Amino acid sequence: MPVAKVNGVEVEFEAGMTVLQVAERAGEEIPRFCYHERLSIAGNCRMCLVEVKPGPPKPQASCALPAAEGQEIFTDTPMVRKAREGVMEFLLINHPLDCPICDQGGECDLQDQAMGYGRDGSRYAENKRAVEEKAMGPTIKTFMTRCIQCTRCVRFITEVAGVPDIGMISRGEDAEITTYLEKSVASELSGNVNDLCPVGALTHRPWQYHYRPWELKKTETIDVMDALGSNIRADARGAEVMRVLPRVNEGINEEWLSDKSRYAIDGLIARRLDKPFVRENGRLRAASWDEALGTVATRLKAAKPGKIGVIAGDLQDAESMKAALDLFRALGSPNTDCRQDGSNLGTGPREGWLFNTGLAGIENADAVLLVGVNPRTEAPLLNTRLRKSWIAGKTEIMLIGEQADLTYDYNWLGAGSKTLSKLPKAAMDLLNKAERPAIIVGGGALAGEGGAAVLSALGALAKKTGVVTDGWNGFNVLHHAAARVGGLDMGFVPGEGGLTAKQMAAKGGLDVLFLLGADEIDTSKSKAFKVYLGSHGDAGAHGADVVLPGAAYTEKAGLYVNTEGRVQMAERVVFPKGDAKEDWAVLRALSERVGKTLPYDTLDQLRTVLMRDHPTFGRIDYLAPSASFDVARLGAKGELGDVAFGSIVTDPYLNNPIARASATMAELSALRIAPAAMAAE
């Protein structure tokens, strides 16, 4: 490996590194504003100046200067200090002195670096420049006079998000960041530009003037708005979650976060269930826990075991599903299901319902076939990885299903099952020739009666084209629900002779239907006595005869399994609202009322039973290495017919009860459909 000297200390580095990276490897801090390791190099701010020998007798921008063998790098000479002070003075010429009211205050790179590397005053005495504010949408609040043109926002939106909505116009002192034709930023990742902005020119509009960072209690936890399990930090003040920020996890979300995961938190305080309700004379009335649980217990004991059942929702933690599974199995009921979308998954080897390459591993695939899935709406941060591979020229992408703007080019093969039954020769050749081919199938293809046949056909295709081999498993199922893999892992599917979720919700299916946070399935035709346990007054609660208030994902500790099979532990950020209880505790209390007391009184005891019965849940943050399996045995052979594959997520901003309670999500949803509405007119 080549060697360079940093302030007299020899440092080994990898070929292709910049001087800035070498200096940081040596433990030297280099100030910067425009440089970001996940974005292209711009060299705009000039804050990272260093002295390099051999080289010209002047400071040079270390972020854009390649390191070379035998270089001598100096980061703290009088020349460097003077240059940095000059750059900082220049950057602050037009920056307003509004730190006391700025949302970035206390977390501002400009504040920190001005203190560390700036002058104690400014020689500029002219009038400061003012810049008109921009309308960038519901998630971005602009203060463009603060902008130093580092272009981090431009590069992120263009390179990572893949939408050309933010750019720089004009030159010199007239240069400014703006949006394309003054329209809002149409990206599901727009909130990341607020994180990237180092000077408070772009801040989070939904949280504007709501908090100061030092007032907040910070909790590291897991996101449940999709099935990726993005690592987040939830900051709370009192009983309210004030903001959600991403944590770095290279294997899952890198350091990005989708807008829904970030801004849906205002839905945590709206439409909340904070007390039990019992339906009387067609209307729900407030009741005590004793009355509500007594009513449910009476109904369960009166009904035959085959006429009671439970459906688990998309946001449930593993502990609550385990408690529900144990209770209904103890009651003798085989009617349990966690698949609200009706997907035909849950039998056979575990690899049959996982994203087997891993989220990071999909970047290694050189040919990807998307089937019945829209990764941009179902898993935005997976979509950024596909785009990254496509930009690098490593991946050819094909699609069977609904055409959509995925931010990268792909070959559209056809609309649905008819195409899958006879794949074009060019597509077969591409998969056969690829060293690491991959298939990504979504709920849009696996839901419904023909789902098992589609799964079988995909298994046969994967076998034929070498998608699953020793050392490479490219068969991937992309889930959209955070609870789905955990439910499948513990067998939360119909037992022998049991009914599916759709059959349970049908007319005449059951006498007692228990909805464990299940809001995405239509139960209006069912005449069963319905019990809803959940956090929000959404579809499930509206039709229920008894409503039991549960805790939202930020109000309980729980285990979640993401789409690649990684078990992660979420922590409680705030306490449940009003009289609401943790879901597993409600089920434990109910089990005592029906004479089937569950064998655990605490969360730790429940987790012990869960990990004993299903050892997978004991491997926290463990991603199993790629394993081959007989992919041809998936599903069941049958006629594929001619069915169009549409995405299972029709509106990514309104597909769960928390998001539907969020004013910000409602605004984003309206903006999303506005262009389509205008085109229709």
Side-chain angles (χ1 to χ4, degrees), residues 66 92 124 158 160 167 186 188 202 226 234 237 257 355 360 380 403 406 420 422 456 464 496 526 569 622 627 669 672:
L92 291 173
Y124 188 77
T158 307
V160 180
E188 59 289 338
L202 306 177
D226 56 31
R237 184 177 63 196
L257 197 59
F355 200 93
Q403 295 187 75
L406 299 182
L420 183 60
K422 189 171 175 57
S456 176
K464 188 176 181 180
E496 189 174 349
S526 172
M569 188 177 293
Y622 171 74
S669 177
R672 181 174 179 270

Side-chain angles (χ1 to χ4, degrees), residues 398-454:
M398 301 170 287
L399 171 68
I400 301 176
E402 188 179 4
Q403 295 187 75
D405 179 9
L406 299 182
T407 72
Y408 43 80
D409 294 339
Y410 56 84
N411 295 318
W412 184 67
L413 305 180
S417 56
K418 194 173 181 180
T419 306
L420 183 60
S421 62
K422 189 171 175 57
L423 218 59
K425 184 177 182 301
M428 290 295 294
D429 290 345
L430 183 59
L431 289 171
N432 281 317
K433 289 176 183 175
E435 290 184 19
R436 293 175 298 278
I439 295 173
I440 301 177
V441 58
L446 300 178
E449 295 178 0
V454 170

Side-chain angles (χ1 to χ4, degrees), residues 252-301:
I252 301 175
N253 57 304
E254 299 179 282
E255 62 180 80
W256 315 126
L257 197 59
S258 70
D259 287 350
K260 184 168 68 170
S261 300
R262 192 189 293 270
Y263 298 121
I265 55 168
D266 58 338
L268 292 169
I269 57 173
R271 306 182 193 174
R272 289 302 303 270
L273 299 173
D274 59 357
K275 58 174 72 77
F277 290 87
V278 174
R279 193 173 295 277
E280 192 175 86
N281 300 322
R283 296 177 66 89
L284 289 171
R285 63 165 177 83
S288 66
W289 270 108
D290 187 63
E291 181 188 1
L293 289 174
T295 305
V296 176
T298 302
R299 289 283 186 159
L300 285 172
K301 287 192 286 188

Side-chain angles (χ1 to χ4, degrees), residues 46 54 70 96 130 166 179 184 201 224 310 344 390 433 441 480 497 508 550 586 591 598 667:
R46 320 307 286 181
I166 301 179
T179 57
S184 109
V224 301
V310 57
N344 287 269
W390 172 77
K433 289 176 183 175
V441 58
H480 68 281
V586 175
S591 72
L598 295 173
E667 200 171 348

Side-chain angles (χ1 to χ4, degrees), residues 191-192 194-196 204 207 220-221 223 230-235 243-249 253-258 261-262 381:
N192 292 287
N194 302 325
D195 289 344
L196 287 169
H204 301 279
W207 313 330
E220 294 185 350
T221 184
D223 171 60
S230 298
N231 286 210
I232 59 173
R233 194 189 81 197
D235 295 354
R243 67 177 182 180
V244 164
L245 299 174
R247 291 189 287 131
V248 177
N249 188 315
N253 57 304
E254 299 179 282
E255 62 180 80
W256 315 126
L257 197 59
S258 70
S261 300
R262 192 189 293 270
L381 296 176

Side-chain angles (χ1 to χ4, degrees), residues 15 49 58 70 84 231 408 476 587 659:
L49 294 172
K58 64 176 185 179
R84 289 174 180 172
N231 286 210
Y408 43 80
N476 300 307
L587 291 161

